Amino acid sequence: MKQEPIIEITDMVAKYGERTVLDGISVNIYPGEITVILGGSGCGKTTLLKNMLRLYEPHSGSVKFCGTEILSMGEREFDEVLKQVGMLFQNGALLNSISVYDNVSIPLEQHTRLSRAIRDRIIRVKLHLVGLSEAIYKFPSELSGGMKKRAALARAMALDPMILFCDEPSAGLDPITSEALDELILSLKRQLGMTIVIVTHELASIHRIADKIIFLDDGKMLFNGTLAEAEKAAIPQIDHFFAVGRF
């Protein structure tokens, strides 16, 4: 039986003023897979991620979640869709003035009517999943870079999203911490069956986690497929990327 995509993007065009940043992107994201968006600096990777989520509104095109067009949705209807989405920002975006526990509690307080006791249980379960049970009442300033990313990941998972988006999750981390974060992302995929979309340029991470890759160059999609297929595709920009690790 053919699997239906969880996200369908058709002819997406994104602009900053008069400058076209994404030009006619069409791609499907399938459930239970880790899809990695690659390309050089300024190619439109993060723009694609943010346009999928309507953090930026595409200039034209279509974005469907589970078969439903989201670009024409009103704010209230789209808020319901966003409850099915988790977002791990590049810098973690934790609030420094409150504890890890309170950071993870934010989406539960804002988007549910769960009792305090149930929220408490969920927070502790999510922090246990990312290995931060011992840091539950610490403040972000007391955490290492890797711990901050894991705390932000716990917050992104608080509402049990169908899809997790990650923007440069390994940015600023040493290779050992980056590998540990990759293993955590893989374990979440296995345990929870999550669909994960990641922007990264870290070559080691790509080899560890990618089921599919989307390769962008100058706002256009040069490739969409598996890592093995990309390495055999004989596309100069992709060959150069994998030869040097980034460009």
Side-chain angles (χ1 to χ4, degrees), residues 222-236:
L222 292 189
F223 180 84
N224 173 32
T226 67
L227 181 60
E229 289 167 345
E231 292 175 328
K232 296 176 183 177
I235 298 172

Side-chain angles (χ1 to χ4, degrees), residues 15-34:
K15 294 188 175 187
Y16 294 144
E18 295 300 312
R19 184 168 69 94
T20 299
V21 182
L22 297 174
D23 188 5
I25 304 297
S26 294
V27 67
N28 291 338
I29 307 293
Y30 288 92
E33 294 184 343
I34 297 178

Side-chain angles (χ1 to χ4, degrees), residues 66-206:
C66 300
T68 302
E69 177 64 59
I70 66 168
L71 298 183
S72 58
M73 285 182 177
E75 187 173 337
R76 183 172 297 180
E77 187 181 8
F78 185 58
D79 281 345
E80 293 301 311
V81 173
L82 287 180
K83 291 178 184 179
Q84 301 297 318
V85 171
M87 180 71 196
L88 175 60
F89 294 96
Q90 183 173 338
N91 61 4
L94 297 172
L95 297 180
N96 291 320
S97 60
I98 59 177
S99 68
V100 167
Y101 180 98
D102 289 331
N103 267 282
V104 179
S105 181
I106 290 171
L108 295 167
E109 292 178 11
Q110 290 184 338
H111 299 294
T112 76
R113 296 181 179 179
L114 298 172
S115 69
R116 189 183 189 93
I118 294 176
R119 291 202 310 268
D120 179 76
R121 177 62 179 158
I122 291 171
I123 293 165
R124 292 176 186 277
V125 166
K126 300 306 182 188
L127 288 170
H128 176 73
L129 270 176
V130 301
L132 284 181
S133 294
E134 302 302 317
I136 191 167
Y137 296 122
K138 288 188 175 181
F139 285 77
S141 61
E142 301 175 277
L143 305 180
S144 67
M147 292 171 76
K148 288 178 182 177
K149 291 291 177 74
R150 284 187 280 149
L153 187 54
R155 184 181 61 190
M157 296 190 306
L159 296 176
D160 293 324
M162 294 170 57
I163 311 168
L164 176 66
F165 292 88
C166 305
D167 187 11
E168 299 281 7
S170 300
L173 302 181
D174 64 81
I176 293 174
T177 304
S178 176
E179 182 176 2
L181 183 62
D182 288 341
E183 290 301 324
L184 174 58
I185 289 171
L186 285 170
S187 72
L188 293 174
K189 174 197 162 184
R190 289 191 296 264
Q191 293 179 52
L192 306 177
M194 295 186 73
T195 303
I196 304 172
V197 181
I198 297 176
V199 168
T200 186
H201 58 241
E202 300 293 341
L203 195 57
S205 290
I206 295 160

Side-chain angles (χ1 to χ4, degrees), residues 229-241:
E229 289 167 345
E231 292 175 328
K232 296 176 183 177
I235 298 172
Q237 295 93 326
I238 297 177
D239 291 344
H240 182 63
F241 182 93

